[in-house]
Amino acid sequence: MDYRKRMESLVRELLRHQQLYHVLARPEIPDAEYDRLLDELLLLEKRFPQFAGANSPSRRVGSDLDNTFPERPHTVPVLSLNKLYQPQELGQWLLKTEAAAGCGVGFAIEEKIDGASIVLYYDQGELQYALTRGNGLLGNDVSDNVRTISQVPLRIAESSRLAVRGEIYIKRDDFERYNSGVAEKYVNPRNLAAGSLRNLKSVQTARVPLNIFVYEGFFANEFSRDHLEILQRLRELGFRVNPRLGFFCDDKGKRLRAQHLFPGISAAPVAAVEEYLRRQAASRADVPYDIDGLVVKVVELAVRQELGTTAHHPRWAMAYKFESPQARTLLLDVQIQVGRNGRVTPVALLKPVAISGSTVTRATLHNQDYIDMLELNVGDEVSISRRGDVIPAVEEVLEKSEQHPGIFQLPGSCPFCSTLLVKEGAHHFCKNQACPERRRRALNYFCAREQMDIETLGEKTIAFLFAKGWVQSIPDIYSFDYGLLAGQEGFREKKIVRIRAGVEASKSRPFVRVLAALGCEGVAAAVAADLIAHGFDDIDKIIAAAKKNDWEIFAAIEGIGETTARLLISHFSKPENLRLIDSLKTAGLKFVGEKTGGDMVNDSFAGQIWVITGSFVQFNPRALAAAAIEKRGGRVTENVSARTTHLLAGSHPGSKLAKAEKIGCKIIRENEFIALLGAL
Ligand SMILES: [Zn+2]
């Protein structure tokens, strides 16, 4: 057998089926048949790695090897767009452009998807590499991660060189699902999409439900002089083109042609654009992904050529943004913060700017992924908003700095203890337990209002005590002789008395506060209260449960998911955390909660493990159904597993129902459930 030929034929077959499945949603063979072909290819690639191509469908599953993201120059123009915020302004721009280009010029209007920009480069029918936008001249090569996206064609039926611009994005519900399963939450779908492109291991990217829409094609053989024809050709080649497309032109013939190319396209005279913008803005929540505006483009390539570009933007295209920026300012520097759990947070230090009555000087940048997504660096002009009128956020780069062309990078090691930083999920961490900054922050957290509420030990006082070496860890708060403060600048007798009283008073704080103050990740006041209400009303019960190393014990509590359950086990198993608890017990803190009345109905559900999904009429919120099960001795867990015995399915049950059917557990509808409860 000619193995090389067989491999080549498998690659062709598999790529064709991937295209049918992921782009056209029209599979021709069952999944099992597809898996069989893929297994055969994987086996052959293992035996004959020399024949395994860069665009083999096996690349979809990603690799465990560390990626590097070398910079490469863009060979096609990747300019950013000028932006407008009012429909009337855009109307004026259309008039101006028509006046410059001549009446009868056509405008395409596409959705501006909130994702990560990408440029795909093809040659001789193969994907050569995929670059981020970068600064428009140089982008980062993220090919191996992009190859895992099933909707990106790895091979195309076009032998001449081709560059394709597109947007990689995540649907909102996919984002919610993905985010609920990871410990370190992503800020928004755009942040996750951009971060996924820069995962060190492509096997991680393969797990993220990424999508792509392409919106611009640069063919080496200039087969067309028109943007709509280019989109049509891209579609034929197997790229996903967003069908939500508008075409506005005063030439009726061109409108008819557009409708012929894209059946279903909104085609109308230019005067109808403003109305179209308003309608699209109003219906943005109806599409399953985030859009932050629309892009208006001249379709005739000759007109584009004629209009040309400014230094930064093409004159033939304009972005219409749904929301106006609140302020424009300069990024002066990035400060690196290290939290009590070691998480590194970059903070933007901004040239002071007024937004809705107050001055903003700082804004969190969350993590490296967020900075990468913004393609941000010191010296850039940025737009700032206040999300929900409270937290200031850097929304986008308006103008790149000339001096700092690249993207800001977090330092390789902790600025406070020089330990090498480690990346986990979207964040970097200082893993040094003894890191002075982490310890100082842990003290602040312990004393803060939401936890032990020791008002007299504010951040300043703690910083002073910490720097002196007097209070270095939480038990020191209770063992330090505050009398030693006498004579220190700013510590009069009266203040020392108040500090002593504050520390003493904290010993009578209820268990729920002590539990939150211990600093277990994911366990703030609300979760601490849930734990106590569900029988974990004594620290020893929590420690004993953690010892069993079964996360479902904690996840059985409504409001506690698998992630938090696992964090609880890990926190309450670590010797250093148990030592802290012991010394705080000795200091006299409360580690037992007030008893809550057990109101069991009976034990008719004993031994049953339930999962609840969908929405209900009688049991709204769902916690009511969970309570009904628990009062009868059953347990409620978050996810369907082999141990699940019952699934309570309401309307719109989602993927849990399919999973429950697969494993064959009992599926109970709301009326049956009511009957079950009533009969008992
Ligand atoms: Zn450190």
Side-chain angles (χ1 to χ4, degrees), residues 2 33 37 86 97 194 203 206 276 292 329 343 355 366 376 392 395 404-405 446 545 547 549 568 595 614:
D2 185 338
E33 172 66 8
L37 293 173
Q86 298 298 329
T97 309
V203 67
Y276 182 78
D292 62 354
T329 189
R343 187 205 285 176
I355 308 181
H366 304 284
L376 180 70
E395 293 292 341
H404 305 95
F446 185 86
K547 223 177 225 164
N549 199 18
L568 273 162
K595 287 266 175 277

Side-chain angles (χ1 to χ4, degrees), residues 51-115:
F51 300 149
N55 288 322
S56 159
S58 61
R59 292 300 189 102
R60 298 294 198 204
V61 297
S63 141
D64 242 339
L65 299 175
D66 271 2
N67 257 315
T68 53
F69 306 113
E71 280 191 332
R72 281 175 182 269
H74 284 291
T75 54
V76 293
V78 216
L79 298 169
S80 62
L81 297 180
N82 218 340
K83 300 171 187 80
L84 292 174
Y85 301 92
Q86 298 298 329
Q88 308 87 289
E89 291 175 332
L90 195 83
Q92 283 158 16
W93 179 80
L94 288 167
L95 285 177
K96 208 179 75 186
T97 309
E98 266 190 320
C103 199
V105 64
F107 297 96
I109 303 192
E110 299 162 5
E111 289 178 329
K112 190 171 183 302
I113 295 172
D114 220 2

Side-chain angles (χ1 to χ4, degrees), residues 338 414 416-417 419 430 432 435:
V338 177
C414 173
F416 302 95
C417 71
T419 305
C430 166
N432 175 13
C435 175

